[in-house]
Amino acid sequence: MEVGFLGLGIMGKAMSMNLLRHGFKVTVWNRTLSKCNELVAHGALVGETPAEVVKKCKITIAMLSDPAAALSVVFDKDGVLEQICSSKGYIDMSTVDPETSCKISEAITSKGGHFLEAPVSGSKQPAETGQLVILAAGEKALYEEAIPAFDVLGKKSFFLGQVGNGAKMKLVVNMIMGSMMNAFSEGLVLAERSGLSPHSLLDVLDLGGIANPMFKGKGPAMLQDNYSPAFPLKHQQKDMRLALALGDENAVSMPVAAAANEAFKKARSMGLGDLDFSAVFETVKVLKHSS
């Protein structure tokens, strides 16, 4: 199976590598073409433009940083729209708002192409090990055609119906995750300031009803001020913002998520945007030290 892949950031690179390891023929493109070199060393081909990748491959996957990037790859000169047609499928796995996803879908289908949104739950390590959760919506036939690739990229795929539902599900998931990370950060600082061992707190949490992989995986690194980016904080804040907009649209009160978003914005103002989203911990530590 031959697949195109647009976007070789932290996630896209890992996902492309997984496809190559499992015998897929992969043609890659990235805005900075030098980022393709490592994939080429593992057997990938390179497309000079998104249009070139779409022309060559029956199915093209995109994994881009934000709505603006997702739109530009489709609509700009030498973009996806220039080569999409009835024999081509386009799968956008970026995390965007539902409106962006619907705009891309309408443009693709107006040219006769087939569209699926398929954002993922999971960061760098699940991407590297093929343990992502795939949240797909759109054309069911394209979803079924893409299952061999999804089975390599993820541990579970969901088909959620019409375009927009995948984006909404991803924003809800990331809103919960961001809110939890803020509460977790506050708890670690509160434990330490109260004279408790934050390492003991991690052990207690891991044995209780709120045990979860995020606390277990992120906690020890946070206590060592290690924020190597698995999911950059600037992207988490973008997702919080988009989730809050979804809340506004549906008249849902979200005071916890709104407060968490402010903490992520504070972290970005501190220059932490390119670090892991767990670096929001630093905003609590700053408040602690200044008090």
Side-chain angles (χ1 to χ4, degrees), residues 62 64 66-75 80-81 90-92 94 96-110 115-117 163:
L64 302 157
D66 56 29
L71 289 167
S72 70
V73 159
V74 173
F75 290 96
V80 170
L81 280 187
Y90 185 65
I91 302 174
D92 193 348
S94 317
V96 300
D97 55 285
E99 290 74 21
T100 296
S101 203
C102 289
K103 185 174 182 179
I104 293 171
S105 174
E106 288 166 8
I108 296 293
T109 55
S110 72
F115 179 76
L116 194 71
E117 61 171 355
V163 170

Side-chain angles (χ1 to χ4, degrees), residues 4 19 21 24 30 40 46 53 57 61 112 128 147 203 223 229 233 266 269 274 283 287 291:
L19 291 170
R21 277 201 302 267
F24 285 76
N30 193 75
V40 170
V46 176
V53 175
C57 304
I61 295 170
E128 290 173 341
I147 285 293
D203 292 338
L223 295 178
L233 186 145
K266 173 67 174 176
S269 77
D274 289 324
T283 67
L287 292 174
S291 60

Side-chain angles (χ1 to χ4, degrees), residues 5-9 28-36 46-48:
F5 209 104
L6 310 179
L8 300 177
V28 297
W29 171 87
N30 193 75
R31 199 172 300 279
T32 305
L33 282 175
S34 60
K35 285 194 174 182
C36 300
V46 176
E48 294 289 326

Side-chain angles (χ1 to χ4, degrees), residues 170-180 236 240 243 254 257:
K170 177 61 190 295
L171 293 178
V172 171
V173 168
N174 276 18
M175 178 273 292
I176 294 170
M177 182 174 74
S179 300
M180 286 174 61
Q236 174 66 67
M240 296 300 291
M254 295 165 60

Side-chain angles (χ1 to χ4, degrees), residues 54 80-89 108 111-114:
V54 171
V80 170
L81 280 187
E82 292 190 10
Q83 291 294 334
I84 203 75
C85 60
S86 61
S87 61
K88 308 283 187 182
I108 296 293
K111 295 271 191 149
H114 310 280

Side-chain angles (χ1 to χ4, degrees), residues 111-145:
K111 295 271 191 149
H114 310 280
F115 179 76
L116 194 71
E117 61 171 355
V120 301
S121 179
S123 56
K124 182 180 179 182
Q125 186 176 6
E128 290 173 341
T129 57
Q131 294 294 299
L132 297 168
V133 178
I134 296 168
L135 309 171
E139 188 170 321
K140 186 69 178 290
L142 180 54
Y143 171 76
E144 290 170 351
E145 190 176 357

